[in-house]
């Protein structure tokens, strides 16, 4: 699978894949640390009235829409030869996040096999979704198509659908690809994926392998930097962190005790 899983994984996505979209995606995907907390809210009313009155968090009902933003300057087209099939395969891909300047939470790639009229729309989706319903997608307000989840890894699940040329034309001209899935409490979650620039990249030349390697290296370094900054921010936000003599700024707390 020569698609974004390798790039996302190389960037440390195993640890920060869901953290990137935690604030927006939490509405659809409850934190993994408290799997039992939402459960009482789904039980019969006579058994959950007391916890609900005590201010226990309730699961949001109804559909949730999450608008995504690209984490790369543009779409990337990569081409290579499949030795087994003896055919050239190209895929046009881009990573997306629920917030600007955050690590990606979803990736989209469209595969084009030379001489084959069937293309593949492949998504790298967050974990914590219901797999059996699969996913539905539509370009803007066009016809809805369906796809299936294929395989999951610790940092995400691959889902894909086979499409024809007409769908590719819609993707080229469209503005948003709406991808609908179900989360673990059966609420519908729709990701809005911007398509600006897709058509130009899909029809354009493939990226130079050396340029791609350099881009991957820079992305990895940037994501690692952001992850470290986020870790430090969380540590600094802990109660009593400023007064903790064991904190990194050890020399500073030494001077205040002049009482």
């Amino acid at each position: 699978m020569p698609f974004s899983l390798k790039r996302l994984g190389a960037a440390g996505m195993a640890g920060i894949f869901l953290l990137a979209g935690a604030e927006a995606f939490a509405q659809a995907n409850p934190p993994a640390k408290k799997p039992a907390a939402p459960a009482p809210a789904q039980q019969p009313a006579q058994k959950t009235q007391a916890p609900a009155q005590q201010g226990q968090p309730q699961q949001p009902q109804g559909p949730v829409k999450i608008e995504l933003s690209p984490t790369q300057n543009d779409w990337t087209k990569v081409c290579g030869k499949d030795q087994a099939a003896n055919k050239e395969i190209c895929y046009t891909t881009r990573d997306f996040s629920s917030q600007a300047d955050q690590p990606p939470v979803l990736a989209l790639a469209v595969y084009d096999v030379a001489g084959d009229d069937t293309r593949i729309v492949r998504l790298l989706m967050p974990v914590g979704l219901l797999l059996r319903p699969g996913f539905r997608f539509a370009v803007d307000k066009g016809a809805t198509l369906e796809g299936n989840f294929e395989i999951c890894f610790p940092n995400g699940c691959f889902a894909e659908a086979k499409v024809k040329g007409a769908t590719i034309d819609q993707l080229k001209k469209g503005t948003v690809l709406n991808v609908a899935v179900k989360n673990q409490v059966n609420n519908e979650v729709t990701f809005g994926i911007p398509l600006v620039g897709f058509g130009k990249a899909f029809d354009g030349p493939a990226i130079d392998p050396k340029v791609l390697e350099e881009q991957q290296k820079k992305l990895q370094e940037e994501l690692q930097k952001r992850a470290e900054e986020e870790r430090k921010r969380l540590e600094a936000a802990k109660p009593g962190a400023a007064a903790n003599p064991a904190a990194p700024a050890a020399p500073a707390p030494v001077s205040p005790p002049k009482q």
Side-chain angles (χ1 to χ4, degrees):
M1 297 181 184
F3 162 48
S4 292
L5 180 66
K6 180 177 180 181
R7 291 191 290 123
L8 298 184
M13 292 306 298
I16 60 177
F17 188 80
L18 285 179
L19 293 179
E23 296 180 10
F25 194 64
Q27 302 177 55
N29 186 15
K33 292 184 178 180
K34 297 181 179 180
Q42 307 300 321
Q43 299 298 323
Q46 64 269 22
K47 294 184 180 181
T48 60
Q49 287 179 351
Q53 293 175 356
Q54 296 174 7
Q56 198 168 32
Q58 301 266 336
Q59 276 296 325
Q61 299 299 319
V64 176
K65 180 69 179 288
I66 301 175
E67 299 292 348
L68 299 179
S69 300
T71 62
Q72 299 161 292
N73 293 332
D74 207 344
W75 295 83
T76 300
K77 181 177 180 178
V78 181
C79 292
K81 191 170 185 178
D82 185 339
Q83 299 299 332
N86 195 29
K87 292 183 177 181
E88 183 180 55
I89 299 178
C90 296
Y91 65 93
T92 306
T93 182
R94 203 174 192 182
D95 301 335
F96 300 88
S97 173
S98 58
Q99 295 181 11
D101 300 324
Q102 292 294 322
V105 295
L106 181 148
L108 168 66
V110 179
Y111 283 75
D112 183 17
V113 181
D116 195 339
D117 184 50
T118 299
R119 277 83 168 196
I120 297 176
V121 174
R122 178 173 289 171
L123 293 155
L124 178 58
M125 304 288 289
V127 296
L129 300 173
L130 292 180
L131 304 182
R132 185 171 297 176
F135 70 99
R136 294 178 293 110
F137 63 104
V139 178
D140 296 325
K141 296 183 179 180
T144 299
L145 302 175
E146 296 183 350
N148 300 308
F149 284 91
E150 298 296 329
I151 189 171
C152 288
F153 296 92
N155 58 334
C157 294
F158 278 111
E160 64 180 46
K162 294 182 179 180
V163 299
K164 296 295 184 179
T167 301
I168 299 300
D169 291 338
Q170 292 176 359
L171 289 169
K172 291 179 183 179
K173 300 175 183 177
T175 56
V176 178
L177 176 65
N178 296 298
V179 179
V181 293
K182 291 290 187 72
N183 66 5
Q184 64 265 55
V185 292
N186 207 37
N187 285 344
E188 183 173 277
V189 183
T190 300
F191 295 97
I193 303 173
L195 294 172
V196 177
F198 171 79
K200 181 180 179 180
F202 186 88
D203 292 333
I207 190 173
D208 185 286
K210 294 183 179 180
V211 175
L212 177 62
E213 183 179 357
E214 183 63 26
Q215 288 183 356
Q216 293 175 351
K217 181 180 178 181
K218 291 176 63 177
L219 176 62
Q220 177 180 352
E221 293 173 350
E222 180 64 22
L223 291 179
Q224 288 177 339
K225 178 182 177 181
R226 292 177 185 173
E228 180 64 17
E229 291 174 349
E230 180 66 11
R231 182 188 66 79
K232 292 180 179 179
R233 186 186 69 81
L234 293 174
E235 288 182 352
K238 291 180 180 179
N244 184 2
V254 175
S255 54
K258 294 183 179 180
Q259 305 174 350

